Amino acid sequence: VRRCIFCDIAGGTAAASVVYRGETCLAFMDVHPIRQGHVLVIPIEHSARLDEIDPRARQELLTTASRVLAALRKSGLARDGANLLLNDGSAANQHVPHVHIHVIPRTRGDRLKTIACFVGRMLNVFGRSAKRAELERVAQEIRRHF
Ligand SMILES: [Zn+2]
């Protein structure tokens, strides 16, 4: 059952630059990246909240997020570090009601730029999106290190 944009992506009816597809979860490039290499990891089955996911899928979700993290590090996109972020519930800025983990590469000294991007995202979540070709290029680079 497709209930949201992430269900459409998981079902292949909406475009996405896929990094990895597992048995129960999917990793793809965020179309509104806060930083280059910003990946989202979602369970394929729709669930709004983390505690509603099947435990096996929840395990694969975290395993995949850490594999994305390792690939980002190896690719040089997240040489200095990364933020893993899960907003659970609309009061916590969960804009799409389908569980997702943000993996956001960080580099030393990016603080101001990142904060500016965060604010922009809060104000207009459907604002400027990255070009598909650029997302594909970065997804390919991450896949190479997966
Ligand atoms: Zn969904």
Side-chain angles (χ1 to χ4, degrees), residues 52-119:
E52 293 167 356
I53 307 177
D54 167 73
R56 201 172 58 88
R58 191 159 51 223
Q59 195 165 21
E60 196 188 6
L61 192 72
L62 188 60
T63 302
T64 303
S66 40
R67 288 182 68 193
V68 166
L69 191 56
L72 284 169
R73 195 160 46 228
K74 282 187 223 158
S75 72
L77 285 160
R79 203 177 286 116
D80 297 336
N83 290 110
L84 263 70
L85 186 68
L86 192 152
N87 300 333
D88 199 76
S90 58
N93 294 315
Q94 183 184 10
H95 298 301
V96 177
H98 185 134
V99 174
H100 53 287
I101 299 177
H102 295 268
V103 186
I104 307 164
R106 299 297 303 270
T107 48
R108 287 182 215 291
D110 69 4
R111 198 181 162 87
L112 283 175
K113 208 176 155 195
T114 299
I115 289 167
C117 286
F118 256 119
V119 171

Side-chain angles (χ1 to χ4, degrees), residues 15-73:
S17 299
V18 173
V19 171
Y20 173 79
R21 178 181 275 273
E23 223 178 290
T24 62
C25 72
L26 183 73
F28 57 95
M29 306 311 296
D30 192 315
V31 77
H32 302 283
I34 287 169
R35 306 273 308 157
Q36 190 185 46
H38 181 173
V39 174
L40 294 176
V41 187
I42 65 165
I44 289 169
E45 287 274 318
H46 182 96
S47 284
R49 311 296 283 259
L50 188 63
D51 64 326
E52 293 167 356
I53 307 177
D54 167 73
R56 201 172 58 88
R58 191 159 51 223
Q59 195 165 21
E60 196 188 6
L61 192 72
L62 188 60
T63 302
T64 303
S66 40
R67 288 182 68 193
V68 166
L69 191 56
L72 284 169
R73 195 160 46 228

